[in-house]
Amino acid sequence: MRKLLLVAICLLVLFCGCEKEAESTLDSADDKLIVVGFSQVGAESEWRVANTESIKATLTEENGYVLFYEDARQEQENQIRAIRTFIQQEVDYILFSPKVETGWDSILLEAKKANIPVIVTDRYIESDVEGLFTAYIGSNFYSEGETAVLWLEDFLKKQSRTEEPVHIVHIQGTIGSTAQIGRTAALEQAVSKHPNWQLVAQQCGDFTRAKAYEVMGSILEDTKDIDVVYCENDGEALGAIAALEEAGLVCNPVDGVIVISFDATRLGLQYCLEQKIALNVECNPLQGPYVDEIIKKLERKEPIGRIRYVEETQFDCFTITQEMIDIRDY
Ligand code: AHR
């Protein structure tokens, strides 16, 4: 009955012209397939594309799943609408990567009422209401930021730049997202600890190359006296570097601007190898296998850890090699 209902809803959705995946699998009479609705925030970065691919490549029919995928195109409203549709479709699990931390209470209460477990991936949600989700899988963004500022502290110490002013430009990710909140908090705390670190500009680059290029360009109209550019992802770093170079500045930690980035995508690491990015802190997008593991445990009624951080590392431009880049999956 439940599968029949799903087929009917999906046919309706198909006729309405909405994007859906895995409809063909719904013809299957296999009731054991686990139906997952996944609301992805968008496709703003290389990281995001790799994250989507990882989920899609893991939650396959061969692996026991039917996946409904919705791209929210950076709109929280679209995510809320997608989750509501998943509830109506009576999926077995709802998976979503929230654009921002807040504003999810009512829709997640609807999911709770419908007894559908919610797994939050990548970015976290904040709420005063208890038990809105079953599990979270993602990054410890504050700790990523801490890795970056500790590296900077150490590097500046080695250069004996502990007294002279260090002018820092900060290009933030999407405001209100966990990735922005954690990485920003780590930088702001480090700035308050170091009297010679001065935040000369702080603007939002929305995790995209184009926006970061634009904001870096406008910052450069005010000042070119810049020592460090702290970008909250690789896309932003690439955009900022393009603007800095166009303005005649050199990106190089030894005798130019020290660019710090997050994600460690192939392209970001290639920039690191060229020393244009001094430090690239990994943000691991390969979360599909973690999601699969949690769902399978829940299916077997085994205990799970509610918060699961993915494994991550860091790369600096003095020790990275081409071989390190070549063996990476994204
Ligand atoms: O939430 C993860 C962040 O979002 C990644 O750092 C960024 O590239 C993405 O768009």
Side-chain angles (χ1 to χ4, degrees), residues 47 122 139 141 144 183 262-264 281-285 312 330:
W47 185 98
D122 168 28
S139 303
F141 295 104
E144 290 177 357
R183 292 168 186 166
F262 297 86
D263 283 359
V281 181
E282 184 185 33
C283 180
N284 182 359
E312 298 180 332
Y330 57 93

Side-chain angles (χ1 to χ4, degrees), residues 66-67 89 133 140 147 164 174 201 211 237 253 265 285 298 303 306:
V66 173
L67 179 67
Q89 290 171 325
F133 62 91
N140 186 331
T147 301
E164 64 183 75
T174 303
K211 188 76 197 294
T265 56
L298 289 168
R306 192 158 174 268

Side-chain angles (χ1 to χ4, degrees), residues 151-166:
W151 181 90
L152 182 62
E153 181 181 77
D154 186 54
F155 181 71
L156 293 172
K157 204 181 281 169
K158 283 185 190 140
Q159 286 196 322
S160 310
R161 294 166 74 181
T162 49
E163 303 295 328
E164 64 183 75
V166 174

Side-chain angles (χ1 to χ4, degrees), residues 44-45 47-48 122-123 141 179 183 207 232-233 263 283:
E44 73 282 6
S45 61
W47 185 98
R48 184 68 55 200
D122 168 28
R123 301 173 183 172
F141 295 104
R183 292 168 186 166
F207 288 128
E232 290 189 354
N233 81 343
D263 283 359
C283 180

Side-chain angles (χ1 to χ4, degrees), residues 198-303:
Q198 294 169 12
L199 212 45
V200 294
Q202 185 174 55
Q203 284 195 39
C204 176
D206 231 353
F207 288 128
T208 68
R209 195 193 291 209
K211 188 76 197 294
Y213 173 78
E214 186 191 312
V215 298
M216 190 69 240
S218 76
I219 293 165
L220 283 160
E221 283 172 17
D222 293 335
T223 179
K224 290 199 174 54
D225 190 3
I226 298 167
D227 300 297
V228 177
V229 180
Y230 180 97
C231 298
E232 290 189 354
N233 81 343
D234 277 346
E236 290 184 347
L238 267 51
I241 290 168
L244 287 158
E245 289 181 341
E246 268 174 39
L249 298 185
V250 173
C251 298
N252 179 309
V254 181
D255 50 14
V257 180
I258 303 168
V259 178
I260 288 180
S261 183
F262 297 86
D263 283 359
T265 56
R266 272 172 188 274
L267 195 51
L269 291 182
Q270 212 58 52
Y271 271 59
C272 195
L273 190 67
E274 291 166 28
Q275 303 206 327
K276 291 185 179 195
I277 291 178
L279 176 76
N280 206 328
V281 181
E282 184 185 33
C283 180
N284 182 359
L286 306 180
Q287 296 171 3
Y290 292 85
V291 172
D292 178 43
E293 190 190 317
I294 294 261
I295 292 182
K296 297 274 168 69
K297 276 190 176 167
L298 289 168
E299 288 292 298
R300 294 193 296 267
K301 311 236 176 307
E302 288 175 13

